[in-house]
């Protein structure tokens, strides 16, 4: 059965990287129309690229964990297991956290100040359109195990009320 026809899957309209790419490109376009950039030089570029590389390593680590657990990384497909090891001990969404860091790194490396508001919009879109349906699905799919996991591990990296 195709994932789009499978009722046992999160109701995620688009994968999170699509939202991030849309908002990064929005920041690039806004900067072309109304330039708003700060350039500090090589240190700024190194910090930006450092964030991008760190976030990419985190993303690859998460991919590896999903492969080892024989479950999908695609948020629109049904999952086979609850991944709670590695970075998932500290954040329920380390893949999305890595996307946030990549977006931030792009803004810093390019000096594009428009990436700050587009990053905020990207986080809101991912939270509403990807994370919320995923959490609802995981709560249904794994019930008490997922609820227990949510009580122990924050959504991002810091403790909040949800």
């Amino acid at each position: 059965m195709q994932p789009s026809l499978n009722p046992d899957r999160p109701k995620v309209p688009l994968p999170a990287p699509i939202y991030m790419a849309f908002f990064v490109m929005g920041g690039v376009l806004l900067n072309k129309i109304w330039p708003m950039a700060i350039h500090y030089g090589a240190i700024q570029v190194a910090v930006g690229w450092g964030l991008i590389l760190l976030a990419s390593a985190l993303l690859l680590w998460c991919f590896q964990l999903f492969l080892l657990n024989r479950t999908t990384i695609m948020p629109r497909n049904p999952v086979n297991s609850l991944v709670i090891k590695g970075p998932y001990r500290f954040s329920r969404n380390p893949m999305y956290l890595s996307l946030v860091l990549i977006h931030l790194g792009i803004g810093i490396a390019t000096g594009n100040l428009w990436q700050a508001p587009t990053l905020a919009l990207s986080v809101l879109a991912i939270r509403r359109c990807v994370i919320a349906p995923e959490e609802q699905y995981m709560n249904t799919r794994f019930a008490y195990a997922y609820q227990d996991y949510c009580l122990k591990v924050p959504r991002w990296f810091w403790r909040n009320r949800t």
Side-chain angles (χ1 to χ4, degrees), residues 25-140:
M25 293 310 298
V28 170
L29 180 62
L30 284 168
N31 200 52
K32 293 278 186 205
I33 297 169
W34 297 292
M36 192 167 63
I38 294 177
H39 294 286
Y40 297 116
I43 292 174
Q44 171 189 340
V45 174
V47 168
W49 275 104
L51 272 175
I52 293 167
L53 293 173
L54 178 70
S56 298
L58 175 60
L59 199 55
L60 290 173
W61 187 11
C62 293
F63 288 170
Q64 179 188 25
L65 288 170
F66 273 57
L67 287 171
L68 290 172
N69 281 278
R70 299 180 192 272
T71 194
T72 182
I73 61 167
M74 298 304 295
R76 298 175 68 181
N77 293 347
V79 297
N80 300 325
S81 65
L82 184 60
V83 178
I84 59 173
K85 294 182 179 184
Y88 289 92
R89 292 175 297 151
F90 307 105
S91 169
R92 295 193 314 257
N93 296 297
M95 283 192 210
Y96 303 143
L97 184 57
S98 69
L99 293 178
V100 168
L101 293 173
I102 289 170
H103 192 148
L104 180 62
I106 291 169
I108 292 170
T110 62
N112 182 344
L113 295 176
W114 283 109
Q115 294 302 335
T118 60
L119 173 59
L121 292 172
S122 176
V123 168
L124 289 173
I126 290 170
R127 168 66 183 97
R128 181 180 174 113
C129 300
V130 181
I131 294 173
E134 277 185 351
E135 287 180 344
Q136 184 178 9
Y137 169 76
M138 297 296 280
N139 196 39
T140 302

Side-chain angles (χ1 to χ4, degrees), residues 92 127 150-151 153-162:
R92 295 193 314 257
R127 168 66 183 97
C150 288
L151 290 173
V153 179
R155 178 178 290 132
W156 293 97
F157 185 66
W158 54 91
R159 186 52 69 188
N160 56 12
R161 290 178 285 188
T162 57

